[in-house]
Amino acid sequence: MNFGTLPSGRQVEQVELVSGRLRADVLTYGAIVRRLEVDGVNVVLGLDTIEDYLTRSRYFGAVVGRYGNRIAHARFTLDGAEHLLPANNGPNCLHGGTEGFDSRVWTIAGQSESSVTLTLTSPDGDQGFPGTLTASVTYTLDGDALRIDYAAESDAPTVVNLTNHSYFNLKGEGDVLDHVIRMDAAHYLPVDDDKIPTGEPAPVKGTPFDFTEPHAVGERYDGGYDHCFVLDGGIEVKGGGLTMEVTTTEPGVQFYAGGMLDGVQTPYGPFAGLCLETQHFPDSPNQPQFPSTVLRPGERRTSTTTYRFI
């Protein structure tokens, strides 16, 4: 169905997916998961109109890229060549730049009652990134789970880090400070004042970042989490009588508790939803000790993340 029209005149479509206990609405704009209902309760933050997504969104439900998270000083060097990116987050490049994948119209490449595949071509030099990149994301509802499959190919060496930026609230309303999280992550990435990793992963033991045992979001650190955790396994979130289990092939997850939502520029106030953005690490193009995000011609970068509801 038609969800709305962009100022350019391009149409934005909404696809409904259904399977078992789950129902989802997916937009071609930003490959956004606009609604995800579990037993009739919407557990993600979404907006009502395309105008809202143009003016009031904080990446709600979108696929961000070409590089999710931050690249320090909005630049990186690859094979001896420096590439300059838009600085849209202080001195850094965030989520692919000023016109990232979250603000593009993706193409429906295939769909069924419970699944849709969206594709996007990003030309060479797009937001400063080298190479023509072809990306795809497939959303599949399977009984009690939402599975997201990502893929990317490039005709020249580049970097890529795709993730979904959904904000979850398992109660469907209120804040998430009482959501309880258990995370198989013995290390996290300390950051500087610009939220750029300072170097090597640090142990979580004895810090507010230790979720190896269950803790409520608001129990420590004033709930102000916006950090990347090094995953050793899965994640479990409990809230509102619902449990969400997250598994991924990615090495890390950016846990953001939504503390910077303000309730004025968006319809949602602080801590209205939490993000679990499965991904490679922030600033990897400038930190060679991190798992590589380089994609070369002839390679196909794939990853899978599953959100299961119990």
Side-chain angles (χ1 to χ4, degrees), residues 204-267:
V204 299
K205 187 174 182 180
T207 77
F209 303 96
D210 189 352
F211 287 94
T212 56
E213 297 294 332
H215 287 282
V217 172
E219 182 178 339
R220 304 166 300 178
Y221 201 65
D222 294 327
Y225 297 98
D226 190 8
H227 297 77
C228 188
F229 290 74
V230 181
L231 290 175
D232 304 309
I235 305 165
E236 182 181 85
V237 184
K238 293 180 179 290
L242 196 63
T243 298
M244 180 174 72
E245 296 179 343
V246 185
T247 57
T248 185
T249 59
E250 291 286 352
V253 62
Q254 186 80 9
F255 169 36
Y256 171 47
M260 289 181 285
L261 297 175
D262 60 16
V264 176
Q265 296 183 355
T266 80

Side-chain angles (χ1 to χ4, degrees), residues 122-166:
S122 172
D124 179 37
D126 187 6
Q127 301 292 289
F129 290 94
T132 297
L133 184 86
T134 301
S136 72
V137 57
T138 299
Y139 295 112
T140 303
L141 298 185
D142 183 10
D144 58 1
L146 166 64
R147 189 179 77 243
I148 309 178
D149 294 292
Y150 306 89
E153 296 177 311
S154 178
D155 65 357
T158 191
V159 296
V160 63
N161 190 27
L162 301 178
T163 188
N164 180 273
H165 206 293
S166 287

Side-chain angles (χ1 to χ4, degrees), residues 1 14 50 59 106 151 237 239 265 270 297:
M1 62 172 285
Q14 176 173 282
I50 191 61
Y59 305 102
W106 295 57
V237 184
Q265 296 183 355

